[in-house]
Amino acid sequence: MDLAAVLTAVGGIIGAIGGVYGIYTKYMQDTKNKKTDYEIEKLRNEDRAKNKRRADNAMQIFGTMWELLYSLKADRIYIVQPHPLGNEEMLTIYFEVKRKSVEPMKPHIQQMKISEVACFAKELVKNLFMYITDISKQVKDRYAESIFSSCGTKQAIVKRLNDNKHDWVGSIICEFTDEMEISEQDAKTLLHQAATEIQYILPEIRD
């Protein structure tokens, strides 16, 4: 076989190898693309499921709060939450229900630095339950007391919320612009039930 024939044969072999490699490369890329598409779709489905759970949980929390509002004959109920969890620096209200004529508290407590209400925050962490009949005398934190007073709050009931490790994840605060009608013991029973329904499904505040 002369040189030209050898070169032609070698060229054919190289061309065949190149063709096989091209097919293999395309197959691997298609496989990779399918795997990527699967992973993306899986993440989308997980995100949809997570968002649905959050929506369902939020509806349940609001429902419990509305029931509590009317059972206590309160004027305003909200949940104040520390965040970010594990390195708590701020307080925020996301969940709030109120009577129509009552000013909302939510706009006043959004990413509030805990250091601004350190004394009150300490009380929220320390006490499982607080029955406050006189805001001006029982709330020692002057800034917290001024916020309550400026929103017309005269009395309040507070219930700590825990996670399954018994760490503080928030507090339900029920406010009254007039004198409470419910006794401390009855309030404690209602707040305990509400906390049981809320604390393990309460979504954390996203910064």
Side-chain angles (χ1 to χ4, degrees), residues 25-41:
T25 302
K26 186 176 184 304
Y27 168 77
M28 293 301 294
Q29 187 61 48
D30 289 346
T31 301
K32 184 178 179 180
N33 290 342
K34 287 178 181 178
K35 185 177 180 182
T36 301
D37 290 344
Y38 170 78
E39 292 295 335
I40 291 173
E41 187 61 28

Side-chain angles (χ1 to χ4, degrees), residues 42-65:
K42 182 181 177 183
L43 289 173
R44 283 176 179 165
N45 290 335
E46 288 175 353
D47 196 48
R48 289 190 196 104
K50 187 183 296 183
N51 288 337
K52 185 178 185 303
R53 284 195 301 273
R54 286 179 65 90
D56 290 346
N57 290 345
M59 288 173 61
Q60 184 175 332
I61 290 168
F62 275 122
T64 297
M65 292 173 69

Side-chain angles (χ1 to χ4, degrees), residues 7-120:
L7 292 175
T8 299
V10 170
I13 293 170
I14 292 173
I17 292 172
V20 171
Y21 178 75
I23 293 171
Y24 172 76
T25 302
K26 186 176 184 304
Y27 168 77
M28 293 301 294
Q29 187 61 48
D30 289 346
T31 301
K32 184 178 179 180
N33 290 342
K34 287 178 181 178
K35 185 177 180 182
T36 301
D37 290 344
Y38 170 78
E39 292 295 335
I40 291 173
E41 187 61 28
K42 182 181 177 183
L43 289 173
R44 283 176 179 165
N45 290 335
E46 288 175 353
D47 196 48
R48 289 190 196 104
K50 187 183 296 183
N51 288 337
K52 185 178 185 303
R53 284 195 301 273
R54 286 179 65 90
D56 290 346
N57 290 345
M59 288 173 61
Q60 184 175 332
I61 290 168
F62 275 122
T64 297
M65 292 173 69
W66 275 113
E67 289 177 12
L68 195 59
L69 184 79
Y70 287 100
S71 296
L72 294 172
K73 296 182 180 179
D75 294 293
R76 176 173 49 233
I77 294 179
Y78 53 89
I79 299 174
V80 62
Q81 294 177 249
H83 61 100
L85 291 180
N87 186 30
E88 294 80 1
E89 296 177 350
M90 293 175 285
L91 297 172
T92 288
I93 294 172
Y94 176 78
F95 294 97
E96 180 178 35
V97 297
K98 64 182 188 64
R99 297 189 183 276
K100 287 184 179 180
S101 58
V102 175
E103 179 186 353
M105 183 64 78
K106 186 174 180 177
H108 299 284
I109 305 179
Q110 293 294 312
Q111 296 190 329
M112 175 186 286
K113 291 182 179 179
I114 288 181
S115 59
E116 294 178 2
V117 286
C119 292
F120 188 62

